Amino acid sequence: MNRKITIVSATEKEIEPLLNYLKIHAEQHSFQTYQLHGLLIDILYSGIGILQTTYSLMDYLSHRHPDGWIQAGIGGAFDLSLPIGDVYQIKTEIISGSGAEDKDGIIMDPFTLGWSNPDSFPFTEGLLACPYEPSAIMPIASGMTTFYAHGHGSHIEQLKNQPHGQIENMEGAAFFYISLLKKIPFLSIRSISNLVETRDTTKWKTGLAIARLNDVLIDVFQAAAFNVDRLFRHATS
């Protein structure tokens, strides 16, 4: 029986090189499903943002149940030491901007406010944590899921005083949350397309980030192609 893996991406553009690879190397494919070395690989476009991602994932799970899935995309480096173009496994996610605003404009998260237990599943110390690691070695980073991509200097400075992650994105927390609750093995892989600073898209390297991301995705599949169980390894194993 073929194992089923799903690639989740907000947009088609972010994984276009992987799609081209699968079209060439897959034994067969139909619509958005490819068969490669005993793997059935589904492609799922979640859309941009928490709401679209949550709906897309839950709708997909209403009729398909993968043996594991990978979220792949690009993101902005809130940690300015992360080089543009580098690719990271996202080990933790938080939702930034959720909770209540104090008189100084600082957002207090639901755990600080006492609304939620920071260690109540699926959270660990207020974070959504991935217990898996890929078969291919890559550096790790923390993610923060935001409702909009930050680009205003004063808002970015405020965010530094709130719980935050190293890589900004708009879908990660939804993917982590659902994966943990549904007990689906998962990985999240992101490349850096830009720094989170005063918005200037002329400095962004989206093409480089997409190319590097897909190089890693293809390497992951090649490394795991003949040993599917290695694709998702529990970090404690």
Side-chain angles (χ1 to χ4, degrees), residues 10-109:
T11 66
E12 181 177 356
K13 182 179 179 180
E14 289 169 278
I15 59 168
E16 188 173 6
L18 174 65
L19 297 178
N20 293 334
Y21 172 85
L22 291 174
K23 288 173 184 177
I24 293 171
H25 295 279
E27 288 89 3
Q28 57 182 316
H29 76 274
S30 59
F31 188 47
Q32 291 177 187
T33 300
Y34 299 82
Q35 183 173 326
L36 179 70
H37 303 310
L39 278 176
L40 288 179
I41 303 169
D42 274 358
I43 304 297
L44 174 62
Y45 303 120
S46 68
I48 298 171
I50 295 175
L51 290 180
Q52 288 192 66
T53 299
T54 299
Y55 175 81
S56 297
L57 296 180
M58 291 304 295
D59 181 63
Y60 176 82
L61 292 177
S62 69
H63 61 278
R64 303 293 285 267
H65 191 87
D67 296 303
W69 52 8
I70 299 173
Q71 184 180 53
I74 60 177
F78 189 71
D79 179 347
L80 301 184
S81 70
L82 302 183
I84 289 178
D86 279 12
V87 184
Y88 296 87
Q89 182 198 358
I90 306 300
K91 288 295 289 184
T92 61
E93 281 280 359
I94 63 168
I95 300 177
S96 176
S98 174
E101 186 178 40
D102 71 9
K103 60 183 177 61
D104 298 315
I106 303 300
I107 302 296
M108 298 174 288
D109 64 70

Side-chain angles (χ1 to χ4, degrees), residues 106-139:
I106 303 300
I107 302 296
M108 298 174 288
D109 64 70
F111 309 111
T112 300
L113 291 163
W115 296 351
S116 303
N117 182 342
D119 289 307
S120 178
F121 185 79
F123 293 95
T124 302
E125 297 181 355
L127 300 172
L128 296 163
C130 177
Y132 301 94
E133 59 187 21
S135 55
I137 296 173
M138 67 182 70

Side-chain angles (χ1 to χ4, degrees), residues 8 19 21 29 40 45 127 134 136 147 193 199 230-231 236:
V8 180
L19 297 178
Y21 172 85
H29 76 274
L40 288 179
Y45 303 120
L127 300 172
F147 294 94
S193 59
R199 189 176 179 86
R230 290 188 61 232
L231 189 57
T236 60

Side-chain angles (χ1 to χ4, degrees), residues 180-196:
L180 289 165
L181 286 175
K182 293 292 187 179
K183 296 180 172 57
I184 301 171
F186 69 101
L187 297 171
S188 178
I189 301 174
R190 288 196 181 270
S191 59
I192 305 298
S193 59
N194 61 282
L195 303 179
V196 178

